[in-house]
Amino acid sequence: MAPQQTLLIILLAPLAAASLIALVGRRKGLLSAGISVGSAAVQMLLTLSLLYGSWKGEPITASVEWLHIGALNVNLGFYLTPLAGMLLFVVTFVGFCIHLFAIGYSDDDEARGRFFGGLSIFMFSMTGIVLSSSLFMIFIFWELVGFSSYMLIGHYLARPSAAAAAKKAFIVNRVGDFGFLIGIIWCFWHYGTTDLATLESIMHANPVLLTTGTATAIALCLFCGVLGKSAQMPLHVWLPDAMEGPTPVSALIHAATMVAAGVYLLGRIWFVYSPSALQVVAVVGTVTAAYAAFCAFGVKDIKKILAYSTLSQLGYLVAAFALGTLYAMQHGDHGLTGVGTAHFHLTTHAFFKALMFLGAGSVIHACHHEQDIFKMGGLLKRMPITAVTFLVGVIAISGIPPFSGFYSKDAILFLAQEENKVIFYILAGTAFLTALYMGRLFFIAFLGSPRSEHVEHAKESSFVMWLPLVVLAILSVVGGFEGIYPEAIKSFLSENVLHPHGAAHQQMLILSLCLGLGGLLLSMLLYFKPASRGNDFLESNLPIVFNILKGRLYFDEFYNFYVAKIQQRFACVVSFLEQVFIQRLMVKGSGSLTGVVGTVIRGVHTGNVRSYAFWFLFGLVLFWVFAIIGF
């Protein structure tokens, strides 16, 4: 089978599954689950066969003309590179694990068919983003991802909070997507194309193009899409609320797919970013990473803690991309240092974050949908497989060697140290906070004694739920070793990830151990003691700080104030002007004036000879007056 045919099947398999579920499986939950999981398995197996087969990393392209209007030519096609192959591997593999887990998680869901149909639509949309050959095609699937995530986040139709979270995610992402669309149009107008391969060749042939203010403006407009999808400040507010959806949806959105789309977009168009734009991107990523790490301490919901963890790690990824690309530019290299470093951590993060989300789902399922960690406790004895695998994820995200998170986070910290000392210190402090709040989660939820009746009766989840945990736990350990990846991805990582060597490696090793172990040990001191396990340390000792963190620095309140007091009032003024001046004065007024003129003219045409003679004489008098005046 030709690679292009394989990619076409990988793309269309979930779409076919979603269509089949819509036709025959909406009321047959188990059948829908089988169809959806089967399509995910087909995607994963074909991806593995392609990546571990004869493909060595040479670009695979195929396209057909979809739209041609004047100078605008939009093609639909594939553009597979090692970067795209890496994310395709992550999306299909982790996506299959999440589908498998969802079989057990959704066993009591009456809308199981709709749920798995939504999962398949999401996989189709995300695969389309990965394989797209142009910015226009990326935008099409970008919006499909937004639509499918809206359906999945709001899956529980009877829950008002789920509906509100779905609308919030949809609206906030549309704000970023508006800027993204402007960037795409501006890119076509300025460079004459949105085809990724053509655009890259243009930028390489004319590096002077990046020195203009227009190039910076285009790059920042395109970055607006990243702000929305990857939940960077100030468009980060939707992501924690998205936890209202089922836990497999949270894993799918937050681990390796939807939120990764923004970082992947950066890697796909890295060549359009000027140094000025990269400075902005680096600051946004760093601030987001630190902000989310602090906010995690004000949350007690196990899924929302993981959501803020995802926000923080996404900030790491965005900062890594910007710093690495700046590093390559300053060293006279047009390589993919930032892209490789960011996407290496994206891959390892996908493994351990999907593991922790699915572990949280296993806990929630066993505890009758209890999500407050302070009402848990003692789960290590009752759910040993879930607890041990979750601990693997905690150690990996803390950056402790030899777990996968160490290797990718180690590269980011080394890159920050080489490029920007201020950002390095902030990211290092964020790494310490990450270990601290993840230790808080584990020690409170899994150790000690049960603090609710539901937890006392909890037991280990079924085989289809804990098997994906074990697989992802193994990858969370070995995922940092580049040798496990296909040849094309391994070669891409070895060439573009800036790992420290020699004394620098020892320095980073010691630093990672101090940050990771230090954070875990401090969390043990604060939260493992029997006296402090029933309440939060910050809430008891520093209530003002806890309430500020709980309020998420009041971003939502500010946005609500803006919408209610400014935007809504401005909309009312515009509505009033539209009704008075446009509808009544311009539309109805012009119609009324036309009616009056018509009435007068109809009055002249009476059919009476004497009336016509009168108007004739009246016209002659007017003509004579004008003639005299004019004379």
Side-chain angles (χ1 to χ4, degrees), residues 569-618:
R569 291 182 179 180
F570 178 74
C572 290
V573 172
V574 172
S575 176
F576 173 78
L577 295 176
E578 189 269 340
Q579 291 180 17
V580 173
F581 288 98
I582 297 179
Q583 288 190 22
R584 296 185 180 180
L585 185 60
M586 297 178 65
V587 178
K588 294 182 179 179
S590 60
S592 300
L593 179 62
T594 303
V596 171
V597 173
T599 301
V600 172
I601 293 175
R602 284 197 305 272
V604 174
H605 295 80
T606 61
N608 191 311
V609 175
R610 286 178 295 180
S611 296
Y612 291 156
F614 170 78
W615 286 114
F616 176 75
L617 292 174
F618 181 73

Side-chain angles (χ1 to χ4, degrees), residues 345-567:
H345 190 58
L346 184 152
T347 303
T348 60
H349 173 263
F351 297 143
F352 56 69
K353 185 52 62 68
L355 166 63
M356 288 189 286
F357 265 112
L358 296 185
S362 178
V363 168
I364 293 169
H365 188 266
C367 296
H368 299 275
H369 298 280
E370 178 59 67
Q371 296 184 199
D372 188 340
I373 60 173
F374 286 91
K375 294 181 181 179
M376 297 178 186
L379 290 172
L380 177 61
K381 295 180 181 179
R382 290 161 175 78
M383 306 179 69
I385 299 176
T386 299
V388 171
T389 54
F390 195 95
L391 179 61
V392 170
V394 170
I395 297 174
I397 197 174
S398 299
I400 297 174
F403 291 73
S404 63
F406 161 73
Y407 294 95
S408 55
K409 189 175 288 188
D410 168 77
I412 294 175
L413 290 177
F414 177 68
L415 188 58
Q417 186 181 43
E418 292 292 307
E419 184 60 32
N420 190 308
K421 295 292 184 182
V422 175
I423 291 180
F424 165 72
Y425 290 124
I426 295 175
L427 293 182
T430 302
F432 174 78
L433 293 176
T434 299
L436 182 59
Y437 67 70
M438 292 308 303
R440 167 182 178 257
L441 189 162
F442 183 81
F443 293 130
I444 292 174
F446 289 93
L447 301 183
S449 56
R451 289 183 288 276
S452 69
E453 184 179 351
H454 291 319
V455 177
E456 290 180 353
H457 296 92
K459 60 181 180 179
E460 189 59 79
S461 300
S462 61
F463 173 76
V464 293
M465 294 181 70
W466 63 254
L467 178 61
L469 300 182
V470 174
V471 173
L472 291 170
I474 294 173
L475 289 172
S476 297
V477 177
V478 303
F481 297 97
E482 296 173 9
I484 72 167
Y485 295 101
E487 185 62 31
I489 298 176
K490 177 184 175 182
S491 177
F492 172 78
L493 292 175
S494 62
E495 293 174 3
N496 299 299
V497 179
L498 191 67
H499 288 297
H501 299 283
H505 174 68
Q506 295 178 356
Q507 180 184 4
M508 283 296 125
L509 177 64
I510 295 172
L511 177 64
S512 294
L513 283 171
C514 291
L515 295 175
L517 291 178
L520 291 176
L521 288 174
L522 181 59
S523 66
M524 180 181 292
L525 292 175
L526 297 178
Y527 296 102
F528 184 62
K529 294 180 180 180
S532 62
R533 272 182 282 158
N535 55 358
D536 187 88
F537 175 82
L538 276 180
E539 187 177 18
S540 301
N541 297 278
L542 297 169
I544 296 178
V545 175
F546 177 82
N547 288 329
I548 292 175
L549 297 178
K550 183 180 178 181
R552 303 182 283 191
L553 301 187
Y554 307 107
F555 270 93
D556 285 283
E557 286 76 7
F558 171 77
Y559 285 146
N560 290 336
F561 171 82
Y562 166 76
V563 171
K565 303 299 183 180
I566 300 177
Q567 179 177 294

Side-chain angles (χ1 to χ4, degrees), residues 321-355:
F321 162 79
L323 294 173
T325 307
L326 282 171
Y327 178 88
M329 288 180 175
Q330 292 171 0
H331 287 76
D333 179 18
H334 290 286
L336 300 171
T337 305
V339 178
T341 304
H343 283 76
F344 184 34
H345 190 58
L346 184 152
T347 303
T348 60
H349 173 263
F351 297 143
F352 56 69
K353 185 52 62 68
L355 166 63

Side-chain angles (χ1 to χ4, degrees), residues 14-15 18-19 21-22 26 109 111 113-125 143-159 162-171 174 238 242 244-246 249-250 252-253 258:
L15 178 61
S19 302
I21 290 172
R26 290 195 63 183
D109 190 344
R114 176 164 52 83
F115 173 66
F116 276 97
L119 289 181
S120 292
I121 285 290
F122 189 94
M123 290 295 288
F124 165 69
S125 307
E143 295 305 299
L144 282 174
V145 165
F147 164 72
S148 53
S149 63
Y150 168 79
M151 290 198 321
L152 291 171
I153 294 171
H155 174 71
Y156 297 126
L157 301 179
R159 189 184 298 176
K167 288 188 290 185
K168 186 176 184 179
F170 189 83
I171 293 171
R174 296 296 73 72
W238 68 268
E244 292 292 338
V249 172
S250 303
L252 198 62
I253 290 177
M258 179 175 171

